[in-house]
């Protein structure tokens, strides 16, 4: 599985109620119904444990789309 | 009966030649036991009334003799757990200030390490007992009978002095509610240094029954043989052992349990499945639990005869009042459990800070719970365990219960972890079961699906063993 697919899968794990049609790489945090600050924290925690990486607080709070999450993970691998 | 020693005296008068106590090595009638107790009291009575006598014994006839002998001499039995660390031993002895420490050969080296030269230290077999004499003193009902230290899961253990009155009240409730009778054959593999085991000893003496005392509960087949060979009628076990029995699920073990009239367990909220299975195993018997603290022993009882109440810890014991105080200090159907009754201690042992938890006879337990429409009580967690995540209150027990559903998890403990933005977040410590391959991301993913967002752990750490108290409880404060 390539990294893109893995990050997308991770995204759906972090948002279990999210439908396929609601996902878009460029869609922003504010446009997702359940992406609040706690969900952000869960998304980062899941990414860190899945890819065995550590994001800084600044990196964590700067992620506002799936695309940015992918880029951030890439930069740590 | 107003004092604990009267349990023994009363049974001696009624049935002197009945077997009172059986261990692997010895068996004694009530009359024989009483003579030994009186003999031991002859040595202890050289100390002034209400002196502290520290006892360090595993389950044995010698423990029972020393304990009752100490009470018979109107002294206070300070009961030490056998697995106490050297550090805690020093602290407990410093705080309790005993006149003497009595133990067995097994532990004599441990107590000889104590440097206080004013304390007499004895191996039980060397105690200068005069069997022709006995104490002529009688304890007052409101005097302290025994001193136990709480398990200390959140702080250093607190000394809990239990009066004769407290204990008589509790013992009467145990025997009335659980219907202990003279004809009972009680099988007890629980340590007597814990309030649960000690309460079972009291109930057996109070009713004049026969007690088979085992050293520990690790050898399940030995316990089952004891039930079978001695026609045991009651058995006391902690939930962890009950769960282990079900896991092993050996037919001959389950068969031997099926003849009991009562299995009693303690304190923790039980898994519904476990309750249902034991209800089924006990063909004509009852499965029961109780809720209490050393400070307020046996405050509720739950006999699991009703469907749908498996998670409950029951109804208040006779003569015990309970109230639930919410965060705004109002009485309601959920909140911190407060207890009042003759089972509640008057104050802690030399601990004015802890005494603040007893207000006008009400003990603030620090346990959180709720009551259903029929008045049954349920435990939800501990007040001092609550994690404040950005203003949201999180009960660690809720997270732990969700995680423990996963295969491959043996134990999980959630604690607060400081966070730059949220103040606190949840950190989870996990002990995996043998050969478990579970990953951190699988646990987090499971939590996201099953918990509210602010309750999902931000960090997971796998550990081999949890730090535990002498009573086997996890020391949460050491994980913070």
């Amino acid at each position: 599985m390539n990294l893109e697919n893995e990050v997308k899968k991770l995204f759906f794990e972090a948002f279990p109620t999210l439908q396929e049609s609601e996902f878009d790489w460029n869609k922003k945090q504010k446009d997702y119904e359940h992406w609040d600050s706690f969900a952000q924290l869960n998304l980062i925690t899941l990414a860190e444990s899945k890819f065995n990486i550590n994001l800084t607080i600044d990196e964590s709070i700067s992620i506002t789309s799936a695309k940015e999450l992918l880029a951030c993970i890439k930069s740590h691998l | 009966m107003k004092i604990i020693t009267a349990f023994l005296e009363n049974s001696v008068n009624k049935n002197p030649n009945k077997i009172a106590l059986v261990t692997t090595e010895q068996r004694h009638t009530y009359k024989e036991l009483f003579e030994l107790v009186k003999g031991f009291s002859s040595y202890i009575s050289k100390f002034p009334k209400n002196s502290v006598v520290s006892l360090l014994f595993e389950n044995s006839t010698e423990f029972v003799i020393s304990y009752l002998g100490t009470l018979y001499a109107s002294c206070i039995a300070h009961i030490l757990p056998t697995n106490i660390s050297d550090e805690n031993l020093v602290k407990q002895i410093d705080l309790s200030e005993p006149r003497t420490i009595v133990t067995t050969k097994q532990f004599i080296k441990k107590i000889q390490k104590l440097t206080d030269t004013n304390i007499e230290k004895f191996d039980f077999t060397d105690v200068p007992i005069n069997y022709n004499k006995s104490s002529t003193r009688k304890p007052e009902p409101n005097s302290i009978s025994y001193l136990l230290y709480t398990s200390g899961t959140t702080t250093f253990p607190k000394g809990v002095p239990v009066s004769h009155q407290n204990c008589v009240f509790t013992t009467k409730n145990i025997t009335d509610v659980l219907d202990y009778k003279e004809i009972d054959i009680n099988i007890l593999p629980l340590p007597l240094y814990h309030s649960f085991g000690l309460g079972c000893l009291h109930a057996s003496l109070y009713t004049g029954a026969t007690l088979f005392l085992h050293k520990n509960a690790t050898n399940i087949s030995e316990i089952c043989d004891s039930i079978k060979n001695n026609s045991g009628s009651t058995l006391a076990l902690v939930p962890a052992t009950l769960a282990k029995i079900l896991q092993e699920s050996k037919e001959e073990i389950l068969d031997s349990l099926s003849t009991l009239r009562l299995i009693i367990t303690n304190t923790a909220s039980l898994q519904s499945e476990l309750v249902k299975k034991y209800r089924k195993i006990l063909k004509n018997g009852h499965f029961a639990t109780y809720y209490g603290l050393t400070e307020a022993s046996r405050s509720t009882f739950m006999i699991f005869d009703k469907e749908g109440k498996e998670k409950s810890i029951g109804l208040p014991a006779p003569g015990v009042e309970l109230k639930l105080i919410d965060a705004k200090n109002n009485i309601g159907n959920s909140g911190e459990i407060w207890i009042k009754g003759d089972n509640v201690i008057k104050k802690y042992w030399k601990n004015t800070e802890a005494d603040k938890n007893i207000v006008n006879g009400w003990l603030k337990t620090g346990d959180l719970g709720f009551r259903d429409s029929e008045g049954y009580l349920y435990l939800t967690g501990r007040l001092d365990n609550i994690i404040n995540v950005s203003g949201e209150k999180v009960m660690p027990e809720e997270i732990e219960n969700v995680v423990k559903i996963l295969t491959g998890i043996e134990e999980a403990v959630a604690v607060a972890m400081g966070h730059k933005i949220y103040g606190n977040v949840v950190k989870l410590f996990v002990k995996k079961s043998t050969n478990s391959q579970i990953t951190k991301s699988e646990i987090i993913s499971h939590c996201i699906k099953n918990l509210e967002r602010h309750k999902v752990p931000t960090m997971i750490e796998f550990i081999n063993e949890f730090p535990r108290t002498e009573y086997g409880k996890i020391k949460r404060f050491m994980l913070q």
Side-chain angles (χ1 to χ4, degrees), chain B residues 18 41 49 68 77 110 137 173 175 183 317 346 424 472 479:
Chain B
K18 183 173 179 183
S41 75
K49 255 183 139 177
L68 293 173
K110 199 174 178 77
R137 302 189 302 224
N173 273 344
T175 55
I183 53 163
K346 292 272 179 279
N424 281 307
L479 299 169

Side-chain angles (χ1 to χ4, degrees), chain B residues 145-184:
Chain B
S145 56
Y146 62 88
L147 172 64
L148 284 177
Y149 282 75
T150 58
S151 58
T153 50
T154 51
T155 55
F156 178 73
K158 298 185 287 254
V160 180
V162 178
S163 72
H164 283 268
Q165 221 161 26
N166 292 143
C167 186
V168 171
F169 175 85
T170 296
T171 307
K172 193 173 178 316
N173 273 344
I174 296 172
T175 55
D176 287 353
V177 176
L178 301 174
D179 207 21
Y180 277 94
K181 292 215 160 56
E182 195 182 314
I183 53 163
D184 270 321

